[in-house]
Amino acid sequence: MSGQDLNADTIVEFIADIFERRGAESYLGEPVTMSEHMLQGAWFAEQDGAPDELVAAALLHDIGHYTSEFGTYSPEDVLDKHHDEAGGEVLAPFFPPVIVECVRLHVSAKRYLCATDPTYFGKLSQASVHTLSLQGGPMSADEVAEFRKNPFHEEAVRVRIWDESGKIANMKTRTFRDYVPLLQRVVRDFRDRA
């Protein structure tokens, strides 16, 4: 399926195809694959009783690793690949703003938490510490104030916390296909409201 064929009726299957073809790829040197990481994020969101939109955001937060024109991450990288922006761009036409902004802001949320929570940096994996350095490090006071202006910043912080938790080897979760009805419902509701 090409980008030209994408619409509200095909976007979820397009994403499912990405998960199926590329989900087994290594996730930034972590002990999980890309799909395991994102599925764990969704599982943690569900365990917290998050609404469907945030479960979807947690599931899709790293979709930009597959769609960034800068390529996939490597531990040898010296520049950020902007997967947060790439993911938000792919989802924006089809998903509600809360999902798009959580995906777009999940890197900023890491920088925010490192600046505002003295314990958060210690929770980062080695790969997250490395990418943090590529992504600008902890936010400055001005960046924190700007981040807080986004109406979805609190939701993005929640997604970020689930993101960092989703790195557990051999953890059992639901499959991507289990989330297809939820994603289709979110896309349909957004289309119907537009």
Side-chain angles (χ1 to χ4, degrees), residues 46-116:
E46 287 182 304
Q47 298 312 299
D48 277 355
D52 285 353
E53 288 84 2
L54 292 190
V55 173
L59 177 65
L60 302 176
H61 76 276
D62 271 344
I63 195 71
H65 280 298
Y66 298 130
T67 63
S68 172
E69 62 188 75
F70 298 107
T72 56
Y73 170 84
S74 163
E76 291 78 37
D77 284 346
V78 294
L79 296 172
D80 183 27
K81 303 274 180 129
H82 303 285
H83 75 283
D84 47 344
E85 295 291 337
E89 185 177 324
V90 167
L91 301 179
F94 312 107
F95 288 87
V98 65
I99 295 173
V100 174
E101 287 299 286
C102 284
V103 170
R104 193 178 70 75
L105 293 174
H106 79 277
V107 167
S108 295
K110 174 171 66 171
R111 297 182 61 226
Y112 170 82
L113 284 165
C114 286
T116 61

Side-chain angles (χ1 to χ4, degrees), residues 11-194:
I11 186 63
V12 173
E13 192 55 39
F14 175 76
I15 294 169
D17 178 65
I18 291 172
F19 263 75
E20 289 164 2
R21 284 186 300 105
R22 300 198 47 205
E25 292 177 11
S26 173
Y27 176 65
L28 312 181
E30 301 284 2
V32 293
T33 65
M34 287 292 296
S35 63
E36 287 170 337
H37 169 66
M38 292 190 280
L39 288 165
Q40 287 180 22
W43 186 88
F44 285 116
E46 287 182 304
Q47 298 312 299
D48 277 355
D52 285 353
E53 288 84 2
L54 292 190
V55 173
L59 177 65
L60 302 176
H61 76 276
D62 271 344
I63 195 71
H65 280 298
Y66 298 130
T67 63
S68 172
E69 62 188 75
F70 298 107
T72 56
Y73 170 84
S74 163
E76 291 78 37
D77 284 346
V78 294
L79 296 172
D80 183 27
K81 303 274 180 129
H82 303 285
H83 75 283
D84 47 344
E85 295 291 337
E89 185 177 324
V90 167
L91 301 179
F94 312 107
F95 288 87
V98 65
I99 295 173
V100 174
E101 287 299 286
C102 284
V103 170
R104 193 178 70 75
L105 293 174
H106 79 277
V107 167
S108 295
K110 174 171 66 171
R111 297 182 61 226
Y112 170 82
L113 284 165
C114 286
T116 61
D117 178 349
T119 68
Y120 191 74
F121 183 85
K123 298 174 185 174
L124 297 181
S125 68
Q126 184 177 359
S128 284
V129 170
H130 176 66
T131 57
L132 176 67
S133 70
L134 302 179
Q135 295 157 343
M139 286 183 170
S140 68
D142 288 344
E143 289 172 318
V144 165
E146 189 63 30
F147 179 78
R148 287 179 175 156
K149 290 179 184 177
N150 187 294
F152 302 112
H153 77 276
E154 290 177 354
E155 291 87 347
V157 166
R158 290 182 73 190
V159 168
R160 178 66 219 180
I161 290 168
W162 299 321
D163 171 4
E164 198 59 46
S165 298
K167 300 175 183 180
I168 302 170
N170 304 314
M171 181 178 158
K172 298 292 181 209
T173 63
R174 299 189 329 151
T175 69
F176 185 86
R177 288 285 170 190
D178 292 327
Y179 290 103
V180 164
L182 179 148
L183 294 174
Q184 289 173 331
R185 185 170 56 252
V186 168
V187 168
R188 183 186 63 243
D189 291 349
F190 176 62
R191 179 189 60 201
D192 292 349
R193 286 194 306 262

